[in-house]
Amino acid sequence: MTELGNRLKEAREEKGMSLDDLQAATKIQKRYLTALEEGNYDIIPGKFYVRAFIKQYAEAVGLDSELLFEEFKKDIPNSYNDEVSEKLSSIKPQRELPKSASKALELLPTLLVAAGVIVVIAIIYVIVQAVNGGGNQQAEEPKTEESQSKYDVSKDSPLTKENQQNTDAQKDSAEDDKEKKDQQSDENDKLTIKATASEGSSTTYEVSGSDKLELEVKANENSWVRVRDEKGSSLKEGMMKKGETFQKNITDQSQIDLRIGYAPGVEIKINGEVLSYKLDPKTVMTQNITIQNKKEEKSS
């Protein structure tokens, strides 16, 4: 086992994470994680993946990957030569086109012009058919007395009054629904979520403009998640399976701390509004999120 492997394993054990937990958090196969701890890079397909797996492993257990690369640069393979050789091998010499292909290219402009003429004729045909169809609809026979009588219902008939009452009730219900939606929209318009600081894999967000705050954490993919309140007490910690949701009213909390093991698979909402990750989840998969509740002071 190498010094780098020892450093990674010790950090994982300090976090209380098993290899299965780490596999779920990083989406890296367990056998590759074991290879990183043992320094057995030969079973990993390519030097590029060795560096990528070390970076994801380090961030998942709270280590700075850049510092690790600098400290153990002699032990970590360099992927530059592999990338250059792959790019050079993928370049193929250009071949001359056969004579038949060059003749086809010469005829291409003529074929395009012919196709354009056909399209124009088709458009004109469709327009003519539409105009003729509209004229035929206007020439329909007038309604018979029997069919006309269905529409000549007296305004004072019970049927008309009942329909009118139903229509009025529907209008009132629609207005009530619209008023409720407008109130909800006003509350969301006042809510502000702003990223104020970001360092490494940690980001701080300030939330203001709403008297009530509801936190929702949804796992779109399996991920390890930890949620702590302002006193450091754990509200949620462990693996969240795909489709699982955690909700908590955080109105009385001045600060909430979250640690997300696999950020691309976790969605965070406040009052139904999605929190946009300041750090790209595809690049920084393990992130620390701090949500600060900036309550507005009310005048006496």
Side-chain angles (χ1 to χ4, degrees), residues 147-162:
S147 62
Q148 184 66 28
S149 63
K150 294 181 181 179
Y151 299 95
D152 294 339
V153 181
S154 172
K155 294 182 180 180
D156 297 331
S157 67
L159 181 60
T160 304
K161 292 181 179 179
E162 183 179 352

Side-chain angles (χ1 to χ4, degrees), residues 27 218-224 240-243 262 264-266:
K27 306 302 180 182
K218 181 178 180 182
N220 296 322
E221 298 289 343
N222 294 344
S223 177
W224 187 87
M240 289 184 67
K241 296 183 178 179
K242 181 179 180 179
Y262 184 60
V266 177

Side-chain angles (χ1 to χ4, degrees), residues 140-204:
E140 291 180 354
E141 294 182 359
K143 297 177 182 178
T144 63
E145 292 181 359
E146 182 179 355
S147 62
Q148 184 66 28
S149 63
K150 294 181 181 179
Y151 299 95
D152 294 339
V153 181
S154 172
K155 294 182 180 180
D156 297 331
S157 67
L159 181 60
T160 304
K161 292 181 179 179
E162 183 179 352
N163 291 340
Q164 184 63 36
Q165 291 174 355
N166 291 337
T167 302
D168 293 340
Q170 292 175 356
K171 289 182 178 179
D172 292 339
S173 177
E175 290 177 356
D176 292 341
D177 292 341
K178 184 176 183 301
E179 184 176 351
K180 291 179 181 179
K181 290 180 180 179
D182 291 341
Q183 291 176 354
Q184 294 176 353
S185 177
D186 291 340
E187 292 179 358
N188 290 334
D189 289 342
K190 296 177 182 178
L191 181 69
T192 300
I193 304 175
K194 181 174 63 175
T196 58
S198 180
E199 182 178 357
S201 60
S202 302
T203 307
T204 300

